[in-house]
Amino acid sequence: MAVVASAPGKVLMTGGYLILERPNAGVVLSTNARFYAVVKPLYDEIKHDSWAWVWTDVKLTSPQLSRESMYKLSLKNLMLQCVSSSESRNPFVEQAVPYVIAAALALFDKDKTDALNKLLLQGLDITILGCNDFYSYRNQIEARGLPLTPESLAALPPFTSITFNAEEQNGQNCKPEVAKTGLGSSAAMTTAVVAALLHYLGVVDLSPLSKFEGSADLDVVHIIAQTAHCIAQGKVGSGFDVSSAVYGSHRYVRFSPDVLSSAQDAAKGTPLQEVMAAILKGKWDHERTKFSLPPLMNLLLGEPGTGGSSTPSMVGAVKRWQKSDPAKAQETWRKLSEANSKLEIQFNILSKLAEENCNAYKCVIDKCSEQKSEKWIEQSIEPSQEAVVKALLGARSAMVEIRNLMHQMGEAAGVPIEPESQTRLLDATMDMEGVLLAGVPGAGGFRCSLCCNLGRLLATTSPKLGVLSMFWPC
Ligand SMILES: Nc1ncnc2c1ncn2[C@@H]1O[C@H](COP(=O)(O)OP(=O)(O)OP(=O)(O)O)[C@@H](O)[C@H]1O
Ligand SMILES: C[C@@](O)(CCOP(=O)(O)O)CC(=O)O
């Protein structure tokens, strides 16, 4: 049997930086770009050599990077050893595999453990694929002499090969990085791999979509994916990316980092199964509240140019500023938190108005989608329509406030959170017909910008984790 799991990418619309500290919230939207993981047995039958009862094989294929890696997995201590070239390592999958098996061992009784070992002895064959939207194809499109338009992007075949940016910083060559768009490829990849493995090994049952709404099984996926992701990254971020890869769009308040402290015991020699048992029982105190974009609104992302910014160094600069000027930093964060809540409230009002009076809502959105924002107020002819326009304008002004404060924070911290070039692009975008708002998502910088427009396309859904089991023809 093969299992395919997929997890969505993310866009952090509000809460960049603030979300790193509880109890600040952020609104994260999941994207229709998804990461897929396929898990199936590597061999039809169990090998009978004696050594094969202690070690099993794991094969990891990344077709978009033309990479195939082979590993030996010790069934005694769950150590994974790469036996192919070290260039083709994937730290996220390398953490995901042992943590998933450790969770299975922590949760299974004797009979299930025996069945698990048999399944593992058939080896694990893992393939990972990310939608094109996770990557920048700017260079390839330009090299082919094609225009930089959505049509040129759409013409690329699905799961096109990805390229590396040969990064140059301060005149020095750094390790080349995948040319990413910032949709959280590592979180979506880790989540898809964890979900596919957990389902394949029978630890969770994620198959019928309707059944696992808010179920404990999704929580297990979340805990293991979050743990593996933090260990692979070597840092504990806020975790909004893994959370949205599992649950879809929502309002998120981070978990207390202490919950992962037992993961450090693995380095001190505590068996991974015990570490995982403690983490699964830990006090996961993150908060997740329902949130989605109101109907007839779309989130679009644009890649403004090459360059990119590093989230860890921007976070480092903001933290140094918080220490050096605590009073000013606190004041800015308080105002930002208020502006973030304002935006969230206006979106919730819009969703409510759409539910209560669908016709009035749709009529306003249809008309405003053709007009610049200065003309929106003239489009309402009755109180129910006026309420919709007011909420639209309220959302817009909250976003302008957020942008100003993010820009100020960047200036104070000495990092370009909303750099001048983005400001020009965002102002011009916000001045277009039917555009509700525009901004820099997440940590900001010289990366993708977001824009929320009205009514042109179909309403977005809130995609979350999906799983499909299928029988693999041997
Ligand atoms: N299609 C793919 N196949 C195999 N590995 C991939 C694929 N896409 C991304 N990766 C790997 O995923 C990792 C991306 O992790 P990285 O920490 O750079 O991104 P990220 O923090 O998720 O980025 P962002 O949030 O900006 O998208 C890299 O190690 C990269 O090699
Ligand atoms: C700055 C931060 O708040 C958001 C980073 O988001 P992104 O990776 O830039 O999308 C960091 C975090 O939440 O882990």
Side-chain angles (χ1 to χ4, degrees):
M1 192 187 71
V3 171
V4 186
S6 73
K10 55 75 189 170
V11 174
L12 187 67
M13 188 167 68
T14 63
Y17 302 97
L18 273 69
I19 204 177
L20 284 162
E21 287 180 19
R22 281 172 65 83
N24 295 325
V27 164
V28 57
L29 301 172
S30 54
T31 63
N32 42 9
R34 300 181 80 80
F35 224 99
Y36 296 81
V38 186
V39 174
K40 58 188 169 81
L42 193 54
Y43 310 114
D44 294 346
E45 284 177 13
I46 299 174
K47 282 201 209 161
H48 289 286
D49 335 31
S50 59
W51 65 265
W53 292 85
V54 187
W55 294 89
T56 191
D57 295 324
V58 178
K59 181 177 168 194
L60 174 64
T61 312
S62 313
Q64 289 160 295
L65 290 169
S66 309
R67 274 186 196 167
E68 247 182 45
S69 316
M70 280 306 298
Y71 297 89
K72 290 277 176 212
L73 172 73
S74 158
L75 297 180
K76 265 192 167 166
N77 60 13
L78 305 183
M79 249 178 46
L80 200 59
Q81 285 183 14
C82 187
V83 289
S84 45
S85 121
S86 62
E87 267 185 27
S88 54
R89 305 286 295 262
N90 183 321
F92 297 94
V93 180
E94 286 174 23
Q95 293 299 332
V97 172
Y99 273 107
V100 165
I101 300 172
L105 292 170
L107 296 168
F108 281 179
D109 60 17
K110 162 109 183 48
D111 286 351
K112 278 183 127 184
T113 304
D114 290 345
L116 170 78
N117 278 325
K118 280 198 184 131
L119 192 53
L120 288 174
L121 286 168
Q122 280 184 269
L124 291 171
D125 185 348
I126 307 171
T127 303
I128 47 177
L129 291 160
C131 281
N132 291 349
D133 288 346
F134 282 101
Y135 314 104
S136 168
Y137 291 101
R138 198 183 184 91
N139 294 343
Q140 289 97 312
I141 290 174
E142 276 177 340
R144 284 187 215 168
L146 295 171
L148 288 167
T149 59
E151 291 71 31
S152 301
L153 269 176
L156 294 169
F159 310 119
T160 294
S161 292
I162 52 188
T163 53
F164 287 82
N165 279 330
E167 289 235 330
E168 222 184 73
Q169 270 173 11
N170 308 329
Q172 287 181 326
N173 269 333
C174 302
K175 209 172 147 235
E177 230 199 14
V178 167
K180 312 170 290 182
T181 50
L183 297 187
S185 47
S186 62
M189 175 173 68
T190 310
T191 303
V193 169
V194 166
L197 282 169
L198 283 173
H199 187 87
Y200 174 76
L201 299 176
V203 186
V204 296
D205 178 7
L206 302 171
S207 28
L209 276 168
S210 55
K211 203 190 96 187
F212 72 83
E213 178 90 39
S215 81
D217 280 351
L218 272 191
D219 298 340
V220 172
V221 176
H222 175 248
I223 292 174
I224 300 170
Q226 183 62 80
T227 306
H229 193 249
C230 284
I231 305 290
Q233 280 199 319
K235 67 170 177 124
V236 185
S238 68
F240 73 90
D241 44 3
V242 176
S243 188
S244 62
V246 177
Y247 303 104
S249 306
H250 57 277
R251 175 186 191 271
Y252 176 80
V253 177
R254 71 159 306 151
F255 58 91
S256 301
D258 298 352
V259 75
L260 284 176
S261 57
S262 39
Q264 286 154 5
D265 297 342
K268 294 181 205 146
T270 307
L272 206 57
Q273 176 183 340
E274 279 175 36
V275 169
M276 204 57 236
I279 293 175
L280 284 166
K281 281 196 214 119
K283 193 173 175 298
W284 286 86
D285 53 0
H286 56 282
E287 287 168 31
R288 198 165 29 89
T289 323
K290 195 172 169 299
F291 182 90
S292 55
L293 281 185
L296 301 172
M297 282 186 198
N298 306 285
L299 182 78
L300 304 178
L301 288 178
E303 202 193 327
T306 45
S309 295
S310 143
T311 297
S313 59
M314 297 189 40
V315 168
V318 169
K319 285 195 166 155
R320 282 192 295 279
W321 162 66
Q322 278 180 300
K323 270 201 187 136
S324 69
D325 192 354
K328 179 86 184 98
Q330 249 177 34
E331 176 64 1
T332 310
W333 274 38
R334 188 187 56 74
K335 287 187 189 157
L336 250 171
S337 172
E338 274 172 21
N340 289 342
S341 302
K342 257 191 224 162
L343 180 59
E344 203 187 307
I345 290 167
Q346 296 305 326
F347 272 134
N348 287 335
I349 291 175
L350 284 163
S351 295
K352 198 154 166 271
L353 290 172
E355 215 177 282
E356 285 169 3
N357 192 342
C358 174
N359 286 340
Y361 178 84
K362 191 175 172 307
C363 177
V364 173
I365 299 289
D366 280 350
K367 287 197 250 169
C368 294
S369 70
E370 307 284 326
Q371 305 286 340
K372 289 192 180 192
S373 63
E374 309 88 87
K375 295 262 164 86
W376 290 356
I377 199 70
E378 298 162 21
Q379 312 302 317
S380 61
I381 45 168
E382 50 180 82
S384 56
Q385 294 184 354
E386 202 182 305
V388 178
V389 174
K390 268 196 177 153
L392 290 174
L393 294 173
R396 213 176 140 84
S397 78
M399 191 61 172
V400 171
E401 224 175 297
I402 293 172
R403 282 185 48 201
N404 281 336
L405 290 161
M406 292 288 268
H407 179 78
Q408 276 172 33
M409 177 158 73
E411 298 254 284
V415 275
I417 295 178
E418 191 192 294
E420 211 39 58
S421 56
Q422 291 275 37
T423 300
R424 284 197 301 276
L425 181 67
L426 297 174
D427 287 345
T429 307
M430 281 189 74
D431 195 37
M432 287 168 72
E433 292 87 357
V435 171
L436 177 64
L437 47 85
V440 285
F446 296 99
R447 297 187 291 192
C448 279
S449 45
L450 72 82
C451 140
C452 190
N453 79 340
L454 304 177
R456 297 270 170 88
L457 303 164
L458 291 173
T460 49
T461 53
S462 303
K464 58 170 183 269
L465 187 72
V467 163
L468 184 79
S469 301
M470 51 187 193
F471 290 98
W472 199 259
C474 292

mmCIF file of all heavy atoms in Angstrom, residues 202-223:
data_model
loop_
_atom_site.group_PDB
_atom_site.id
_atom_site.type_symbol
_atom_site.label_atom_id
_atom_site.label_comp_id
_atom_site.label_asym_id
_atom_site.label_seq_id
_atom_site.Cartn_x
_atom_site.Cartn_y
_atom_site.Cartn_z
ATOM 1 N N GLY A 202 0.180 3.153 10.649
ATOM 2 C CA GLY A 202 -1.023 2.849 11.429
ATOM 3 C C GLY A 202 -1.082 3.551 12.777
ATOM 4 O O GLY A 202 -1.831 3.154 13.664
ATOM 5 N N VAL A 203 -0.310 4.622 12.951
ATOM 6 C CA VAL A 203 -0.356 5.350 14.230
ATOM 7 C C VAL A 203 -1.600 6.236 14.271
ATOM 8 O O VAL A 203 -2.221 6.430 15.310
ATOM 9 C CB VAL A 203 0.913 6.216 14.428
ATOM 10 C CG1 VAL A 203 0.936 6.844 15.807
ATOM 11 C CG2 VAL A 203 2.168 5.407 14.187
ATOM 12 N N VAL A 204 -1.957 6.795 13.137
ATOM 13 C CA VAL A 204 -3.162 7.636 13.058
ATOM 14 C C VAL A 204 -3.973 7.184 11.849
ATOM 15 O O VAL A 204 -3.457 6.504 10.967
ATOM 16 C CB VAL A 204 -2.805 9.139 12.887
ATOM 17 C CG1 VAL A 204 -2.072 9.686 14.084
ATOM 18 C CG2 VAL A 204 -1.996 9.380 11.615
ATOM 19 N N ASP A 205 -5.238 7.569 11.863
ATOM 20 C CA ASP A 205 -6.069 7.286 10.693
ATOM 21 C C ASP A 205 -6.588 8.615 10.172
ATOM 22 O O ASP A 205 -7.452 9.240 10.764
ATOM 23 C CB ASP A 205 -7.234 6.370 11.083
ATOM 24 C CG ASP A 205 -8.137 6.102 9.894
ATOM 25 O OD1 ASP A 205 -7.788 6.511 8.764
ATOM 26 O OD2 ASP A 205 -9.208 5.490 10.097
ATOM 27 N N LEU A 206 -6.004 9.045 9.069
ATOM 28 C CA LEU A 206 -6.353 10.375 8.556
ATOM 29 C C LEU A 206 -7.223 10.282 7.308
ATOM 30 O O LEU A 206 -7.479 11.290 6.667
ATOM 31 C CB LEU A 206 -5.067 11.142 8.215
ATOM 32 C CG LEU A 206 -4.059 11.337 9.347
ATOM 33 C CD1 LEU A 206 -2.755 11.902 8.818
ATOM 34 C CD2 LEU A 206 -4.614 12.270 10.406
ATOM 35 N N SER A 207 -7.705 9.056 6.976
ATOM 36 C CA SER A 207 -8.315 8.933 5.651
ATOM 37 C C SER A 207 -9.606 9.703 5.388
ATOM 38 O O SER A 207 -9.607 10.569 4.524
ATOM 39 C CB SER A 207 -8.454 7.479 5.225
ATOM 40 O OG SER A 207 -8.580 6.656 6.316
ATOM 41 N N PRO A 208 -10.719 9.444 6.096
ATOM 42 C CA PRO A 208 -11.930 10.153 5.678
ATOM 43 C C PRO A 208 -11.864 11.615 6.119
ATOM 44 O O PRO A 208 -11.868 11.904 7.311
ATOM 45 C CB PRO A 208 -13.068 9.402 6.372
ATOM 46 C CG PRO A 208 -12.414 8.444 7.309
ATOM 47 C CD PRO A 208 -10.951 8.651 7.286
ATOM 48 N N LEU A 209 -11.832 12.500 5.168
ATOM 49 C CA LEU A 209 -11.618 13.924 5.447
ATOM 50 C C LEU A 209 -12.563 14.451 6.525
ATOM 51 O O LEU A 209 -12.148 15.187 7.413
ATOM 52 C CB LEU A 209 -11.804 14.727 4.168
ATOM 53 C CG LEU A 209 -10.571 14.799 3.281
ATOM 54 C CD1 LEU A 209 -10.924 15.352 1.933
ATOM 55 C CD2 LEU A 209 -9.497 15.646 3.937
ATOM 56 N N SER A 210 -13.846 14.068 6.443
ATOM 57 C CA SER A 210 -14.827 14.618 7.371
ATOM 58 C C SER A 210 -14.535 14.179 8.810
ATOM 59 O O SER A 210 -14.796 14.904 9.749
ATOM 60 C CB SER A 210 -16.217 14.162 6.978
ATOM 61 O OG SER A 210 -16.222 12.759 6.899
ATOM 62 N N LYS A 211 -13.941 12.986 8.952
ATOM 63 C CA LYS A 211 -13.760 12.438 10.297
ATOM 64 C C LYS A 211 -12.704 13.172 11.109
ATOM 65 O O LYS A 211 -12.813 13.325 12.297
ATOM 66 C CB LYS A 211 -13.370 10.964 10.176
ATOM 67 C CG LYS A 211 -13.677 10.159 11.423
ATOM 68 C CD LYS A 211 -13.060 8.787 11.352
ATOM 69 C CE LYS A 211 -11.714 8.776 12.072
ATOM 70 N NZ LYS A 211 -10.984 7.551 11.920
ATOM 71 N N PHE A 212 -11.653 13.646 10.415
ATOM 72 C CA PHE A 212 -10.552 14.137 11.239
ATOM 73 C C PHE A 212 -10.557 15.636 11.510
ATOM 74 O O PHE A 212 -9.601 16.190 11.989
ATOM 75 C CB PHE A 212 -9.195 13.591 10.780
ATOM 76 C CG PHE A 212 -8.602 14.098 9.508
ATOM 77 C CD1 PHE A 212 -7.894 15.276 9.486
ATOM 78 C CD2 PHE A 212 -8.702 13.347 8.346
ATOM 79 C CE1 PHE A 212 -7.291 15.713 8.319
ATOM 80 C CE2 PHE A 212 -8.109 13.776 7.185
ATOM 81 C CZ PHE A 212 -7.402 14.963 7.160
ATOM 82 N N GLU A 213 -11.692 16.263 11.292
ATOM 83 C CA GLU A 213 -11.850 17.677 11.665
ATOM 84 C C GLU A 213 -11.592 17.825 13.169
ATOM 85 O O GLU A 213 -12.350 17.314 13.991
ATOM 86 C CB GLU A 213 -13.272 18.121 11.311
ATOM 87 C CG GLU A 213 -13.618 19.543 11.674
ATOM 88 C CD GLU A 213 -13.301 20.521 10.541
ATOM 89 O OE1 GLU A 213 -13.520 20.173 9.364
ATOM 90 O OE2 GLU A 213 -12.853 21.613 10.869
ATOM 91 N N GLY A 214 -10.528 18.461 13.534
ATOM 92 C CA GLY A 214 -10.237 18.720 14.950
ATOM 93 C C GLY A 214 -9.936 17.464 15.755
ATOM 94 O O GLY A 214 -10.033 17.465 16.971
ATOM 95 N N SER A 215 -9.595 16.365 15.106
ATOM 96 C CA SER A 215 -9.437 15.126 15.864
ATOM 97 C C SER A 215 -8.071 15.049 16.533
ATOM 98 O O SER A 215 -7.128 15.782 16.189
ATOM 99 C CB SER A 215 -9.605 13.925 14.942
ATOM 100 O OG SER A 215 -8.392 13.710 14.264
ATOM 101 N N ALA A 216 -7.981 14.082 17.467
ATOM 102 C CA ALA A 216 -6.734 13.881 18.191
ATOM 103 C C ALA A 216 -5.620 13.437 17.241
ATOM 104 O O ALA A 216 -4.448 13.715 17.483
ATOM 105 C CB ALA A 216 -6.960 12.834 19.272
ATOM 106 N N ASP A 217 -5.992 12.750 16.161
ATOM 107 C CA ASP A 217 -4.982 12.288 15.211
ATOM 108 C C ASP A 217 -4.228 13.462 14.579
ATOM 109 O O ASP A 217 -3.009 13.411 14.379
ATOM 110 C CB ASP A 217 -5.631 11.448 14.099
ATOM 111 C CG ASP A 217 -5.902 10.020 14.568
ATOM 112 O OD1 ASP A 217 -5.438 9.677 15.670
ATOM 113 O OD2 ASP A 217 -6.566 9.276 13.844
ATOM 114 N N LEU A 218 -4.943 14.517 14.262
ATOM 115 C CA LEU A 218 -4.271 15.697 13.693
ATOM 116 C C LEU A 218 -3.328 16.322 14.708
ATOM 117 O O LEU A 218 -2.268 16.834 14.358
ATOM 118 C CB LEU A 218 -5.298 16.754 13.271
ATOM 119 C CG LEU A 218 -5.877 16.674 11.868
ATOM 120 C CD1 LEU A 218 -6.648 17.944 11.557
ATOM 121 C CD2 LEU A 218 -4.780 16.486 10.821
ATOM 122 N N ASP A 219 -3.743 16.273 15.986
ATOM 123 C CA ASP A 219 -2.886 16.842 17.028
ATOM 124 C C ASP A 219 -1.569 16.059 17.130
ATOM 125 O O ASP A 219 -0.514 16.640 17.357
ATOM 126 C CB ASP A 219 -3.606 16.859 18.386
ATOM 127 C CG ASP A 219 -4.852 17.743 18.352
ATOM 128 O OD1 ASP A 219 -4.945 18.605 17.446
ATOM 129 O OD2 ASP A 219 -5.739 17.562 19.203
ATOM 130 N N VAL A 220 -1.657 14.727 16.932
ATOM 131 C CA VAL A 220 -0.428 13.911 16.965
ATOM 132 C C VAL A 220 0.479 14.319 15.796
ATOM 133 O O VAL A 220 1.687 14.511 15.964
ATOM 134 C CB VAL A 220 -0.772 12.389 16.908
ATOM 135 C CG1 VAL A 220 0.494 11.563 16.733
ATOM 136 C CG2 VAL A 220 -1.503 11.963 18.170
ATOM 137 N N VAL A 221 -0.115 14.498 14.612
ATOM 138 C CA VAL A 221 0.677 14.936 13.450
ATOM 139 C C VAL A 221 1.356 16.265 13.794
ATOM 140 O O VAL A 221 2.553 16.458 13.554
ATOM 141 C CB VAL A 221 -0.204 15.117 12.186
ATOM 142 C CG1 VAL A 221 0.623 15.667 11.032
ATOM 143 C CG2 VAL A 221 -0.880 13.814 11.782
ATOM 144 N N HIS A 222 0.586 17.170 14.378
ATOM 145 C CA HIS A 222 1.122 18.495 14.682
ATOM 146 C C HIS A 222 2.320 18.426 15.642
ATOM 147 O O HIS A 222 3.369 19.017 15.388
ATOM 148 C CB HIS A 222 0.016 19.393 15.260
ATOM 149 C CG HIS A 222 0.541 20.725 15.699
ATOM 150 N ND1 HIS A 222 0.598 21.101 17.012
ATOM 151 C CD2 HIS A 222 1.099 21.731 14.997
ATOM 152 C CE1 HIS A 222 1.160 22.297 17.090
ATOM 153 N NE2 HIS A 222 1.460 22.709 15.889
ATOM 154 N N ILE A 223 2.140 17.674 16.725
ATOM 155 C CA ILE A 223 3.210 17.608 17.742
ATOM 156 C C ILE A 223 4.496 17.034 17.131
ATOM 157 O O ILE A 223 5.594 17.568 17.319
ATOM 158 C CB ILE A 223 2.754 16.770 18.963
ATOM 159 C CG1 ILE A 223 1.639 17.519 19.708
ATOM 160 C CG2 ILE A 223 3.922 16.449 19.895
ATOM 161 C CD1 ILE A 223 0.999 16.744 20.843
#
